[in-house]
Amino acid sequence: MMMEISHGRRIVNVVMLSLSGVCTILVVGVLFFILGYLFAHGIRSLNWAFFTQLPKPSGEIGGGMANAIVGSGKVLLLATLIGVPVGFLAGVFLAEYSGKTFAFVVRYTVDLLNGVPSIVVGIVAYALVVRPMRHFSALAGGVALGIMMIPIAVRTTEEFLRAVPNPLREGAMALGATKAKTIFTVVVPAAISGLASGMMLNLARVAGETAPLLFTALGNMFWSRGWLQPIATLPVMIYNYAIAPEEDLHQQAWAAGFVLLTLVLVINITARMIIARGPASSRR
Amino acid sequence: MTLKKNLAAVVAISAIAAAVPLNAQTSLTGAGATFPAPIYQKWFSDYQSIGNVQINYQAIGSGGGIKSVTEGTVDFGASDAPLTDAQLQAYKEKNGHTVLLFPTVLGAAVPSYNLPGVSQGLKFTPETLAGIYLGKITKWDASEIASANPGVKLPADDIVVIHRSDGSGTTYCWTDYLSKVSPEWSSKVGKNTSVNWPTGLGAKGNDGVAGLLKQQHGAIGYVELIYAVKNHLPYGKVKNASGEFVKADLQSVTAAAGALKEMPADFRVSITNGSGKGVYPISTFTWLLVPSRCSDPAKKKAIVGFLNWAITSGQSQVESLEYARLPASVVSQEKKQIAEIK
Amino acid sequence: MATPSSITDVLRRPASRSFVSRLRAGNEIAYLITLVATVSILAVVGLIVAELWQNSQPTVKTFGWHFLHTSTWDPNGGTFGALPFIYGTCVTSFLALLIAIPLGVASAIFLAEMAPPKISNFLTFLIELLAAVPSVIYGLLGIFILLPIIREYLVPFLRSTLGFLPIFRGPFYGVSLLSAGLVLSVMVVPFIVSVSREVLLAVPVEQREAALALGATKWETTWQIVLPYASTGIVGSVFLSLARALGETMAVTMVIGNTPAIAASLFSPGYSIAAVIANEFAEASGQLYVSSLIFLGLVLFGLTIVINAVARILILTTSQRNA
């Protein structure tokens, strides 16, 4: 028997549900606004000089961020080398080898590491790398960002390895493969799309980090050679130029912001598409 | 596998990274004051081809310069605040040798403001500046400002005080001046690279202050002269100890240096609140902080070479950026100190 | 991957295998390597906490707990008090949540309950992209776009309508607690939307169907049945976002005004813990100054740990309840 829904309740229903729709549009709208603004402003300021020239001395017009772009690449490479293998292996341990209590302790500690504010990671990297070595360096920046990459690497690896169905493992072991062989030649490849996308998301996250680089990588007006010299990076340059008074530098900050955001979003979108297409996705 | 892909990437990118650039120049890293950053960066850029050395200078503020050189994380520092006895002692204790101060140029801290309706230049007395920064004078049409600026129509707007949020030699110069002209400032706040400001907004670096000044109507802030000039910010005349209202420029800053009776042996001196004709009272030297011992011969050669160049040939470029040249007596005194770097 | 040769190998192998052959099989090594990796992470975390604690000692010994509730920050005079930074951090985060929670939960409701799955997934994808935007870019946009908008439109509006409240009084300089709170709210909304949506979707369909069968409207079902069921999870998402907001450095330091003052008005400039560390650490010399900044970092870290733990428990409780 259909109950009559009163007029008032019907109105409330429509109003509230439309309001929630409006909120969603607002939130999504912000994203488009950000992208649109950065795109418009950034594209205008992008030129060949931006990608090929070094920064000019204070007060002179022109110059670019060639060294910062390469610099970001170098620091991120170091960070990946430091954070990903350690995180991956620890994730393997948690998923395949560990007992319950130890796993709980490890997970809790990894969570703790994830909660360290990025500026505090910077302080720690300064104390552990910069001060003893008596240089600011790409290495110090890489260590700081690498530490930040560890928790997500561990969590992603564990999550995606656990999602691999047990029959796969059992089948391999029944055929005579050792546990180690099973893990590295059967389980990991089965989870590879999730692992790859997880690492990409991880990378995209630290690519934008500025605070840990402030007192580790410092900055450089020139090309930075090797790994033990201070190095310019995109996020720090954006910060420095944004708070400067010169309009010319603001333009460069927009261009750099555009490049950085494009990079981050492209990595994000690719990673999520990998997951969406992956066969044994553990997501909904 | 992710690991293999990483390894391949490492090899490829290391090759690229190592190959850029190709020449093997000595490189030095320095950090410190934003006050002389424009001339330092110009110098280092020009000197790269002359001395075949890459000097990377990061303007993080005088406080940062002092700390970095003390901790040895940079090859030299830069500061417009002369090191205190305690800081010199701290350096010695940490490093075993002393740090030498080398004056490079002279500059001025100017009271710059953002008052679109006021086209004439403003005049500030020492008491006014102290009063504004103490938070006692809060409106632009206050009697103290009006009396020093007869005939100027001042708006009834709030004064937005801007100061530095980072450790700054420019702050040291400014607070040193205020401490000399205002006993209340001296006892309440004092002089240092970082103080407990009674009022105002904080901005990072000379550029940060200039940036904030540009955006904020009714603001007043202290910046190094070239920052005000480059950003087309109006700045006021300041009354010096002889009672004359002087605007900061090359002549008035040079006059302030000229009024210096004798330069101490360690080059630590304050020339604020000077008296004399055409002397700008908020002027200061700025120093490079160089360790007296350098274990790397290539670096030592580079820094000695640079210092010699900077105090002689380099001086010809400073005036175009509104910094004053070093007096000749100071230059000859410095040449002797350069020889002390072992 | 098994090949015929290894099967026959297995059949040929003696029952008890020597240590050497077990080693060669790689099991021990793999176990060891992964164990070492795990332990090294534990060691790193221990090292971090130890470093922070040890380097804060001078401040702890000099000021003790007074540090946390005094407000003089005077590097020159040697007095340090953390209150202005704790105040600024809390106020901006609270403001951010105040704006982000209604917006975020409403959006989550729309995405979980109303929108068809394809649209819902697409819009969620876009919103999650917002979470990927780096902090410094939010700061860039904050300085050049948000601040002028706040100055031209929002502040006059607030002054004229709510100007009697002490939080909306006084001069406005662009950089302020209000601006920082607004920028933070944009940064935090995606987390609330994402986690709340997942939590809402996890509410069993039977609950909804039962309510609808009893004649409730869609909204009534959502508001009175689904939301309460998912409430602990949603609160968990709020805590997660809070933890993120507390640690935000760049966007905040670019728009908060960097002034260690405690003022009632949201229009006044302020300072946050992360911002003061970013601004002053590079130049802090003198043991007490450095250790005060490090102690501030430790305080922030401690706060984040507690909030993250609470969030985790809350989200866990919801999923266990639904399991």
Side-chain angles (χ1 to χ4, degrees):
Chain A
M1 205 86 87
M2 274 280 284
M3 233 167 39
E4 262 298 314
I5 299 183
S6 78
H7 207 55
R9 284 167 62 202
R10 234 199 274 267
I11 294 185
V12 167
N13 190 41
V14 169
V15 165
M16 291 315 262
L17 292 173
S18 336
L19 259 174
S20 65
V22 166
C23 287
T24 316
I25 307 272
L26 205 66
V27 176
V28 176
V30 168
L31 174 73
F32 282 111
F33 182 70
I34 294 178
L35 288 178
Y37 211 90
L38 259 177
F39 191 80
H41 246 78
I43 282 270
R44 228 186 294 159
S45 331
L46 268 184
N47 49 29
W48 192 238
F50 177 84
F51 288 104
T52 53
Q53 286 189 14
L54 294 175
K56 286 245 161 71
S58 172
E60 290 180 32
I61 308 274
M65 293 205 196
N67 59 344
I69 297 176
V70 172
S72 273
K74 281 172 80 169
V75 172
L76 287 174
L77 178 66
L78 259 178
T80 314
L81 288 179
I82 294 175
V84 169
V86 172
F88 171 72
L89 290 172
V92 167
F93 183 81
L94 282 179
E96 307 290 325
Y97 287 114
S98 166
K100 272 207 141 178
T101 21
F102 190 53
F104 177 74
V105 169
V106 172
R107 261 184 235 120
Y108 182 72
T109 316
V110 166
D111 243 6
L112 225 75
L113 187 58
N114 198 30
V116 181
S118 57
I119 191 78
V120 176
V121 176
I123 300 181
V124 170
Y126 177 82
L128 293 177
V129 185
V130 177
R131 218 173 28 204
M133 283 184 66
R134 292 164 75 93
H135 310 282
F136 293 97
S137 60
L139 177 65
V143 167
L145 293 184
I147 292 180
M148 294 186 70
M149 286 183 89
I150 292 178
I152 297 190
V154 173
R155 216 189 287 163
T156 324
T157 310
E158 195 197 346
E159 189 184 305
F160 282 103
L161 286 184
R162 273 194 199 281
V164 172
N166 262 329
L168 220 62
R169 289 185 186 82
E170 292 162 2
M173 308 233 329
L175 285 169
T178 58
K179 182 152 189 187
K181 214 163 184 178
T182 317
I183 297 175
F184 290 102
T185 57
V186 176
V187 182
V188 168
I192 198 72
S193 56
L195 292 177
S197 78
M199 296 313 162
M200 289 172 77
L201 288 174
N202 203 358
L203 183 69
R205 177 189 164 224
V206 298
E209 286 292 339
T210 321
L213 296 175
L214 291 175
F215 351 106
T216 47
L218 193 68
N220 205 327
M221 290 163 57
F222 305 101
W223 292 105
S224 166
R225 291 196 301 274
W227 307 96
L228 297 180
Q229 283 189 2
I231 190 166
T233 48
L234 268 181
V236 175
M237 294 291 266
I238 297 176
Y239 175 59
N240 287 333
Y241 281 16
I243 60 178
E246 292 93 340
E247 191 48 43
D248 172 55
L249 293 184
H250 293 171
Q251 295 302 324
Q252 290 193 38
W254 285 114
F258 175 70
V259 168
L260 182 63
L261 187 63
T262 310
L263 189 73
V264 165
L265 288 183
V266 162
I267 298 180
N268 253 283
I269 294 176
T270 319
R272 284 159 197 276
M273 294 210 305
I274 295 181
I275 281 203
R277 280 212 224 110
S281 19
S282 64
R283 290 204 154 216
R284 255 165 295 100
Chain B
M1 239 173 55
T2 351
L3 216 57
K4 274 205 188 121
K5 264 189 242 157
N6 272 343
L7 277 159
V10 173
V11 173
I13 300 185
S14 296
I16 303 173
V20 166
L22 308 142
N23 55 338
Q25 280 185 334
T26 318
S27 46
L28 293 174
T29 305
T34 56
F35 184 96
I39 183 64
Y40 283 177
Q41 286 174 349
K42 184 166 184 359
W43 270 350
F44 297 137
S45 174
D46 292 344
Y47 192 70
Q48 190 183 11
S49 37
I50 301 174
N52 199 28
V53 56
Q54 215 181 65
I55 308 181
N56 172 26
Y57 182 72
Q58 293 296 311
I60 61 177
S62 299
I66 297 175
K67 173 173 172 157
S68 317
V69 77
T70 309
E71 303 216 321
T73 49
V74 292
D75 300 307
F76 64 91
S79 164
D80 0 285
L83 294 190
T84 60
D85 291 334
Q87 286 167 331
L88 284 175
Q89 184 61 19
Y91 184 94
K92 193 152 181 212
E93 276 170 15
K94 200 147 194 167
N95 294 284
H97 49 261
T98 52
V99 62
L100 302 170
L101 277 74
F102 289 95
T104 47
V105 292
L106 288 137
V110 302
S112 184
Y113 49 88
N114 179 338
L115 285 174
V118 174
S119 50
Q120 308 99 314
L122 288 181
K123 298 196 187 102
F124 295 101
T125 62
E127 297 76 22
T128 313
L129 288 176
I132 293 176
Y133 270 83
L134 279 167
K136 298 171 115 181
I137 302 178
T138 53
K139 293 234 184 249
W140 280 106
D141 58 355
S143 53
E144 295 92 335
I145 308 180
S147 54
N149 294 281
V152 177
K153 188 166 186 332
L154 293 161
D157 298 335
D158 290 327
I159 303 182
V160 181
V161 177
I162 301 181
H163 55 75
R164 292 282 289 270
S165 62
D166 50 333
S168 153
T170 322
T171 297
Y172 181 86
C173 174
W174 188 255
T175 51
D176 177 41
Y177 173 72
L178 289 180
S179 298
K180 284 185 183 169
V181 303
S182 164
E184 189 182 350
W185 181 274
S186 181
S187 56
K188 208 169 163 193
V189 188
K191 64 175 193 239
N192 203 338
T193 53
S194 219
V195 297
N196 192 12
W197 297 96
T199 180
L201 302 176
K204 193 170 185 322
N206 266 296
D207 5 33
V209 175
L212 200 51
L213 267 170
K214 263 184 160 170
Q215 292 171 21
Q216 194 58 51
H217 287 316
I220 185 173
Y222 57 88
V223 284
E224 207 285 323
L225 178 58
I226 188 65
Y227 288 87
V229 169
K230 276 266 152 88
N231 290 290
H232 311 291
L233 292 165
Y235 55 97
K237 297 186 180 180
V238 182
K239 192 168 170 192
N240 69 11
S242 310
E244 188 188 342
F245 282 100
V246 181
K247 196 152 190 213
D249 56 26
L250 275 176
Q251 290 91 317
S252 52
V253 175
T254 312
L260 176 66
K261 300 287 185 303
E262 195 192 310
M263 174 66 89
D266 61 1
F267 296 99
R268 295 189 298 153
V269 68
S270 157
I271 54 174
T272 53
N273 202 25
S275 55
K277 184 149 172 48
V279 165
Y280 182 71
I282 322 184
S283 308
T284 178
F285 281 97
T286 185
W287 294 266
L288 281 175
L289 311 171
V290 182
S292 56
R293 295 282 173 279
C294 183
S295 50
D296 181 336
K299 284 191 175 178
K300 184 170 72 167
K301 181 159 175 274
I303 198 124
V304 165
F306 174 75
L307 283 171
N308 274 311
W309 179 83
I311 61 178
T312 50
S313 329
Q315 295 287 306
S316 57
Q317 297 172 12
V318 312
E319 295 188 339
S320 63
L321 286 175
E322 306 286 336
Y323 294 96
R325 304 173 67 129
L326 294 170
S329 54
V330 173
V331 173
S332 41
Q333 205 178 328
E334 275 189 72
K335 282 190 175 155
K336 291 193 207 124
Q337 191 175 250
I338 295 180
E340 288 179 35
I341 303 179
K342 302 254 178 302
Chain C
M1 268 171 287
T3 62
S5 56
S6 63
I7 293 182
T8 44
D9 280 349
V10 166
L11 293 172
R12 257 196 248 126
R13 237 172 262 153
S16 71
R17 294 155 65 207
S18 67
F19 178 72
V20 173
S21 69
R22 277 203 335 263
L23 199 67
R24 253 202 266 133
N27 257 341
E28 250 66 10
I29 296 193
Y31 181 76
L32 254 139
I33 294 181
T34 52
L35 180 63
V36 164
T38 316
V39 169
S40 66
I41 296 181
L42 296 180
V44 165
V45 177
L47 189 61
I48 293 178
V49 176
E51 269 290 325
L52 289 176
W53 182 246
Q54 203 176 342
N55 288 325
S56 329
Q57 283 316 296
T59 301
V60 174
K61 291 207 178 76
T62 317
F63 297 109
W65 294 114
H66 285 297
F67 182 69
L68 295 177
H69 57 81
T70 40
S71 36
T72 316
W73 186 260
D74 186 5
N76 195 10
T79 321
F80 298 98
L83 199 58
F85 314 107
I86 298 180
Y87 176 76
T89 309
C90 289
V91 166
T92 49
S93 304
F94 181 70
L95 182 62
L97 286 180
L98 205 64
I99 299 171
I101 294 177
L103 218 59
V105 174
S107 305
I109 290 176
F110 180 77
L111 291 170
E113 307 291 313
M114 284 294 301
K118 274 217 175 108
I119 297 190
S120 173
N121 285 337
F122 177 63
L123 288 178
T124 311
F125 175 73
L126 291 180
I127 293 180
E128 285 177 354
L129 281 183
L130 262 180
V133 175
S135 176
V136 71
I137 293 189
Y138 277 113
L140 187 63
L141 290 159
I143 295 183
F144 294 118
I145 306 185
L146 198 61
L147 287 193
I149 292 182
I150 300 181
R151 191 187 281 140
E152 305 290 311
Y153 303 110
L154 186 60
V155 169
F157 172 71
L158 285 171
R159 275 229 184 88
S160 57
T161 49
L162 297 169
F164 56 91
L165 291 171
I167 55 170
F168 292 131
R169 282 220 207 108
F172 179 71
Y173 305 123
V175 289
S176 60
L177 292 169
L178 178 67
S179 313
L182 284 172
V183 172
L184 272 182
S185 69
V186 177
M187 298 175 77
V188 144
V189 151
F191 292 96
I192 297 190
V193 172
S194 178
V195 178
S196 300
R197 174 176 172 266
E198 298 217 10
V199 164
L200 285 171
L201 284 175
V203 172
V205 119
E206 296 85 31
Q207 297 282 331
R208 292 189 186 79
E209 287 177 352
L212 288 171
L214 287 170
T217 60
K218 189 100 198 229
W219 171 254
E220 283 163 354
T221 314
T222 311
W223 184 250
Q224 295 176 19
I225 308 294
V226 180
L227 260 186
Y229 203 93
S231 60
T232 23
I234 294 183
V235 173
S237 81
V238 168
F239 274 86
L240 223 62
S241 321
L242 178 62
R244 157 105 198 218
L246 290 177
E248 257 319 314
T249 317
M250 302 319 292
V252 172
T253 182
M254 288 159 99
V255 302
I256 199 173
N258 302 329
T259 309
I262 302 182
S265 172
L266 287 178
F267 292 165
S268 59
Y271 226 153
S272 76
I273 298 179
V276 71
I277 298 177
N279 279 328
E280 300 194 6
F281 187 75
E283 66 218 16
S285 44
Q287 211 191 30
L288 205 56
Y289 195 0
V290 176
S291 71
S292 299
L293 288 172
I294 296 185
F295 191 40
L296 268 174
L298 196 59
V299 166
L300 186 64
F301 184 22
L303 260 170
T304 334
I305 296 179
V306 168
I307 292 177
N308 265 326
V310 173
R312 191 145 292 278
I313 295 176
L314 286 171
I315 297 183
L316 215 62
T317 336
T318 325
S319 53
Q320 273 180 358
R321 215 206 294 162
N322 294 342

